[in-house]
Amino acid sequence: MFWLPAALKHSGLTGPPVLHPVDSSHMKTAEGPELENHTLLTEFVLSGLSSHPEQQNCLFFSFSLIHTFTLAGNLLIFLVTAHPTLHMPMYFFLRVLSFLDISIASTVVPKMLVSFLSEGRRISYVGCATQLYFVIFLGATECYILAAMAYDRYVAICNPLRYAIIMNNKARLSLVLLSCCSGNVVSVVQTAWVFTLRFCGPNKINYFFCDIPPLIMLSCTDTSLYEKQTLTTTVLVIFAPFCLILVSYACIISNILKISSAEGRRKTFSTCSSHLIVVTLYYGSGSLIYLRPKVNYSQDIKTFFSLIYTAIIPALNPLIYSLRNKEVKGVLIKTIADPRKK
């Protein structure tokens, strides 16, 4: 499924771009008559969340706690929703979402934690490309999965009698595979585009992980064409699924308003509110980061938005989906009370 190595090869990513000399500590002289006076970039340096030494221990403790909760909470949701009583398609998508949250947090947070306690903020050229690939792949896939979850809620509420037929095993597996394949294509294209740009130094990435906006800020070439391509990708990855979600929920709300019982309307809407919260946070932060990658937000704002979708949302999802779902809470309580009971 992952085409990154091939993409790197065909896009010229097996070797770093040619640069003017900047700092010999992270550059090496290229060989050959055509590259005689040029150097090759071999690594980047991540600035991290803070440059103040007195804050490092506090940040390490805070994000270690958040990451531990992310792993434990999403793993628990993954196991609980696999319970035989929770066989509805929405719980299948919830397990996929938990897996994606664990993966994207594990792609970014561990490297960030290392930087808090040491000077190990350097990341190799290939390592940076690999991290960028997985961040985009997992993030784009989650955007599509959230749209698939909205479609699942639409079918369940607006067409309940045919819900089991429409959202059968083949249909929901196809939606997940389509989401993964689309995310993979987007990530390969974006990663290849970024790492075919010409970097002139310095090699310091003013971020806590390798991402599109800080990387293109290091490029000395004209990135206007790439920015247009990024805008197009953002529309396909964020705004197209978001429009589908809006249409789905417009139909859902219209159907809910037809329910005569106020209690019935409340229960029906409560099944969708958790998903709406996650969609708002995830799509909102993603669009602000990638819609205009070179916009002059302050560094603190850029970092905050990035933390939302890489560290905060993966930690919040278990709370959002468990505390607001009576079925999940019921199975969770039974599992904790008697873990041997099936």
Side-chain angles (χ1 to χ4, degrees):
M1 179 188 294
F2 303 132
W3 308 330
L4 180 60
L8 293 176
K9 180 177 180 180
H10 293 302
S11 303
L13 296 182
T14 51
V18 176
L19 304 176
H20 296 295
V22 177
D23 182 357
S24 60
S25 65
H26 59 268
M27 310 286 236
K28 64 181 181 181
T29 303
E31 297 179 357
E34 296 181 0
L35 301 176
E36 182 177 357
N37 295 320
H38 293 77
T39 53
L40 295 177
L41 184 65
T42 60
E43 63 182 15
F44 293 101
V45 177
L46 299 170
S47 66
L49 290 182
S50 174
S51 58
H52 301 289
E54 65 275 10
Q55 297 178 352
Q56 302 304 309
N57 289 336
C58 181
L59 288 171
F60 175 82
F61 176 77
S62 299
F63 282 97
S64 293
L65 206 59
I66 291 173
H67 190 54
T68 300
F69 184 82
T70 298
L71 298 179
N74 281 287
L75 182 60
L76 186 61
I77 290 294
F78 190 92
L79 296 175
V80 167
T81 54
H83 194 275
T85 60
L86 302 179
H87 60 275
M88 293 173 61
M90 71 179 250
Y91 297 115
F92 170 77
F93 290 118
L94 189 53
R95 287 194 293 275
V96 175
L97 187 65
S98 294
F99 174 78
L100 292 173
D101 284 337
I102 290 174
S103 300
I104 195 168
S106 299
T107 301
V108 174
V109 178
K111 178 66 177 176
M112 180 174 65
L113 292 177
V114 170
S115 70
F116 291 143
L117 298 183
S118 68
E119 296 299 322
R121 296 185 177 182
R122 297 181 182 274
I123 184 169
S124 68
Y125 186 89
V126 174
C128 187
T130 302
Q131 187 182 53
L132 178 64
Y133 165 80
F134 280 106
V135 167
I136 298 175
F137 167 66
L138 295 167
T141 301
E142 185 156 338
C143 285
Y144 295 127
I145 289 295
L146 290 172
M149 293 174 74
Y151 175 70
D152 171 74
R153 291 297 82 210
Y154 161 76
V155 176
I157 294 173
C158 299
N159 203 347
L161 297 180
R162 300 189 62 219
Y163 178 53
I165 298 175
I166 296 175
M167 297 302 296
N168 54 49
N169 291 336
K170 182 179 179 181
R172 57 183 185 245
L173 183 60
S174 297
L175 286 172
V176 171
L177 290 177
L178 180 61
S179 298
C180 291
C181 291
S182 300
N184 187 57
V185 171
V186 168
S187 184
V188 167
V189 172
Q190 289 288 85
T191 304
W193 268 78
V194 170
F195 281 90
T196 51
L197 294 174
R198 187 165 178 259
F199 299 103
C200 297
N203 71 332
K204 185 177 181 180
I205 300 175
N206 199 20
Y207 233 47
F208 59 98
F209 69 99
C210 289
D211 200 9
I212 293 173
L215 281 169
I216 66 174
M217 292 295 289
L218 297 181
S219 176
C220 60
T221 55
D222 181 16
T223 60
S224 57
L225 179 61
Y226 177 75
E227 290 178 66
K228 293 178 181 178
Q229 185 265 348
T230 302
L231 175 61
T232 303
T233 302
T234 303
V235 170
L236 294 175
V237 174
I238 295 179
F239 284 95
F242 185 67
C243 288
L244 292 175
I245 292 173
L246 289 180
V247 172
S248 297
Y249 276 104
C251 296
I252 289 171
I253 292 172
S254 175
N255 193 79
I256 290 175
L257 294 176
K258 296 177 183 178
I259 300 175
S260 57
S261 168
E263 180 66 16
R265 290 196 298 268
R266 187 192 65 80
K267 287 183 178 180
T268 304
F269 187 75
S270 67
T271 63
C272 305
S273 57
S274 300
H275 184 253
L276 281 173
I277 293 172
V278 174
V279 165
T280 302
L281 290 172
Y282 198 81
Y283 282 72
S285 59
S287 61
L288 289 171
I289 290 293
Y290 297 110
L291 187 59
R292 297 177 63 191
K294 294 187 76 172
V295 70
N296 291 322
Y297 293 131
S298 72
Q299 184 59 34
D300 289 341
I301 292 177
K302 292 179 181 179
T303 301
F304 176 72
F305 287 148
S306 298
L307 282 172
I308 286 178
Y309 70 86
T310 58
I312 306 302
I313 290 179
L316 289 179
N317 276 349
L319 287 175
I320 293 172
Y321 282 104
S322 61
L323 293 182
R324 299 182 63 87
N325 189 299
K326 291 183 178 180
E327 292 178 331
V328 172
K329 284 192 293 185
V331 172
L332 181 59
I333 291 171
K334 290 179 181 178
T335 302
I336 295 174
D338 187 0
R340 296 171 297 177
K341 189 175 181 179
K342 300 294 184 181

